[in-house]
Each structure stands twice: as C-alpha cells, then as structure tokens.
Amino acid sequence: MTTHSTTEPISNRLRIVLVGTQHPGNIGSAARAMKTMGLARLVLVAPEKAPNHESEALAAGADDVLAAAATHATLAEAVADCRLVLGCTARSRRIALDELLPREAASRALEGAMAGGEVALVFGRERTGLDNEELQLCHAAVHIPANPAYSSLNLAMAVQVLAYELRLALLATGGGGPAPAGDGDPPASHAELEGFFGQLGDALDAIDFHKGRAPESALRKFRRLFLKADLDSREVRLLRGVLADVERMAMLAARSGGEG
Ligand code: SAH
C-alpha cells in the first residue's frame, strides 16, 4: 500500500503517458507543454525512437521533465498502479467507453488524484493513435471537439489542451497545494481491477453464462458497469470473494451432475 505524503502536490499523481511516439521532437514538445502547466510526470511507452537532440531542442526549458521521463514496454505496465486511466483519441471508435470532453476529463482526473489515486492521461501514436486493445485499458475516452472534417491535432498540442484544462481545474481548487491524505479504503488500482475482470470472465464461463454466444460483448458491458462504480480495494476483494464462491459452487454442481 502506498502512503501519500501530505506535502506532495496533487499534480504528482497526474501522469502524461505517450504511447509509441514516432517523432522524438513531439516528446520534447509534450514535455514543454506539460511544464508550462505545472505537470512533471512524463511516461513513455515503447517510443519508436528514444528521446534525442530533437526532443531536447523542442523541450527548451523543460529538459528536466524530459530527463525524468520513465519508459515502459507496454501501456498495461505504465498504468498498472493507476486508479483512473483516460485515453485521448482523435476520433470516436466502436468501443464501449464513455467519451469525455477535455474539461470533464480534467475534473475527473483531479477528483481521482485528490482522492489519493494515481491518474494517467494517455496519448497515442502520431499516425495511428491508440489501438483498441490499449483503449480497452482506459476507463473513458477523451476527445477534443475539433473540426470534424480535420480532427487530429499534433500530439504535443493535444497534450497542451489537456494539460491546460488540468491547470484550470487545479487552480479552481486553490491550486497545486499539498494533497489531502486519502481517507477510507484506498481506491482499487488498475491491476486489482484487471485481476477482478479476469476472474469475472472465468466465473461466467464456469456457470455457462454465455451459452454459446461470444463472451466479448457481455464482458465489455460488465467492465463498463464496474468501472462506473469507482470501486475501492476492499470492494474489489469482496466481489472476488463472491466470484470464488461462484466458481466453487459451479465445480460442485458439475461434480454432482457427473455422479447423478
Ligand atoms: N491519426 C491518428 C491521430 C493521432 S494524433 C488517429 O486517427 O487516431 C496523436 C494523438 O494525439 C492521438 O492518439 C490522441 O491521443 C491525441 N489527439 C490528437 N487529436 C486529438 C483530439 N481531437 N482529441 C483527443 N486527442 C487527440
């Protein structure tokens, strides 16, 4: 369990994640966009090219943000400890995710961070954005309502828009001061929720819930329902206890069915 220092600024719980960035210059520009808005935590997921002189040139005075950037191999790894993961997309996709405006996203992100959770804002590749598997890891999508006929912003400019909205939201709360210590049970982490969803899938199979239908659609709906519930760690443990009993009863039933 993590403990939150009371002197830690809330913005330290907000990370900007860039997935599969193709142009190192954009990484530098994103660092600059972040620093102007008081954000410092940049996370890279499998960039096509590591940050280089181009990144440094475009980071300008934000070379500290660039130098401190962490790199992960997958998005799942980069957000494993997050309570809230918001994926920024230039277009709507056929995926069961709520779509938020940047302002709504910023207010949710701040709410999550103020409640003591880690929060990630995720941005995709310049050419192809985030893939569906990556979007599945997100709790909601964020779309900047741009010109529908030309809706794709430059990556760093999209980071700027979201960072600005976060800044406004932070200033409205009295601005970047110390974070209150979280009370009650800690919010469920991304890894805890994914563990729960995995077990839910197994339990539904065990009771033959799908009856020959493809499981994906039901699983997406359950995922959406449980993500909306904003579960804390203890609630996830409680639900997993129920699922363990479901699986145990299904096994007993299968066994006695075999005997009779
Ligand atoms: N051709 C890609 C565009 C990628 S732009 C696509 O169609 O998905 C690179 C990244 O910038 C996107 O993955 C997204 O994270 C962000 N971005 C660009 N325009 C955006 C918009 N209008 N709303 C939200 N995010 C946007």
Side-chain angles (χ1 to χ4, degrees):
M1 203 189 113
T2 46
T3 50
H4 298 290
S5 147
T6 49
T7 54
E8 179 202 18
I10 289 167
S11 59
N12 278 2
R13 295 191 197 144
L14 301 168
R15 73 188 71 169
I16 299 290
V17 182
L18 307 182
V19 179
T21 310
Q22 285 147 335
H23 303 293
N26 278 335
I27 300 176
S29 296
R32 180 174 186 175
M34 288 170 61
K35 187 165 177 177
T36 56
M37 297 298 132
L39 298 176
R41 292 186 56 207
L42 176 59
V43 175
L44 308 176
V45 174
E48 276 198 13
K49 285 191 203 149
N52 61 13
H53 60 279
E54 276 179 81
S55 327
E56 279 160 25
L58 285 159
D63 41 357
D64 52 339
V65 173
L66 189 61
T71 301
H72 291 277
T74 64
L75 177 58
E77 236 177 65
V79 300
D81 59 335
C82 287
R83 165 204 203 164
L84 180 64
V85 181
L86 300 174
C88 299
T89 61
R91 48 191 162 144
S92 314
R93 287 168 209 245
R94 284 193 4 252
I95 188 162
L97 275 184
D98 287 338
E99 195 174 280
L100 306 176
L101 290 166
R103 197 149 297 175
E104 296 165 336
S107 112
R108 278 229 216 154
L110 204 60
E111 238 174 66
M114 288 176 73
E118 291 284 326
V119 176
L121 269 108
V122 183
F123 296 81
R125 300 160 187 82
E126 291 89 335
R127 268 196 301 276
T128 54
L130 295 168
D131 65 30
N132 282 339
E133 205 176 302
E134 286 156 353
L135 278 170
Q136 286 277 1
L137 293 174
C138 298
H139 301 166
V142 186
H143 179 67
I144 300 165
N147 174 3
Y150 190 67
S151 64
S152 175
L153 278 75
N154 162 271
L155 169 60
M157 298 198 183
V159 171
Q160 186 77 73
V161 170
L162 268 300
Y164 174 63
E165 289 294 345
L166 284 170
R167 176 94 184 146
L168 287 185
L170 253 167
L171 290 173
T173 67
D183 47 339
D185 286 293
S189 70
H190 198 259
E192 282 170 327
L193 285 169
E194 289 305 316
F196 165 65
F197 289 131
Q199 191 181 358
L200 177 63
D202 293 344
L204 292 175
D205 285 341
I207 59 171
D208 190 27
F209 178 80
H210 307 297
K211 308 202 175 43
R213 293 178 304 252
E216 286 77 21
S217 151
L219 288 176
R220 260 200 308 275
K221 286 179 193 147
F222 279 121
R223 186 178 261 280
R224 191 174 186 178
L225 186 154
F226 283 112
L227 288 176
K228 235 192 278 182
D230 199 18
L231 300 168
D232 64 34
S233 284
R234 197 212 301 236
E235 289 162 338
V236 169
R237 283 199 300 280
L238 177 69
L239 287 168
R240 292 197 68 160
V242 173
L243 293 180
D245 277 353
V246 167
E247 290 179 288
R248 192 170 53 81
M249 296 307 282
M251 200 155 67
L252 286 174
R255 224 183 270 161
S256 68
E259 280 160 14

